[in-house]
Amino acid sequence: MDRTRSVLKLVFGINVLFLLLLGFSYPYLEPGTDSYVVAAMSAALCLTMVVVVAIITYFDWGVFDAY
């Protein structure tokens, strides 16, 4: 579980960084533009990955321990 936990920390940190960057740029986007749609889809993807990391961490699933 040690290797899995370190990978999950990295994935969680990257997703939080992306969400922070999206949060800072969100006020400057105009609704209905292409960049607004891409930002919304990116935020949804990052939030989904945070939920997946939380589920894997909660159940102590050793994803990378078999390798």
Side-chain angles (χ1 to χ4, degrees):
M1 185 65 186
D2 294 333
R3 187 180 306 165
T4 301
R5 191 165 302 270
S6 63
V7 171
L8 291 177
K9 284 181 185 179
L10 178 68
V11 171
F12 181 77
I14 290 172
N15 281 308
V16 168
L17 174 68
F18 286 159
L19 286 172
L20 284 172
L21 291 173
L22 283 169
F24 286 130
S25 67
Y26 192 75
Y28 301 105
L29 299 175
E30 295 180 23
T33 60
D34 293 339
S35 57
Y36 184 84
V37 173
V38 170
M41 291 172 61
S42 298
L45 181 63
C46 286
L47 288 172
T48 303
M49 287 303 299
V50 167
V51 169
V52 167
V53 166
I55 290 171
I56 292 173
T57 303
Y58 179 76
F59 288 113
D60 265 347
W61 185 23
V63 180
F64 300 110
D65 291 339
Y67 300 107

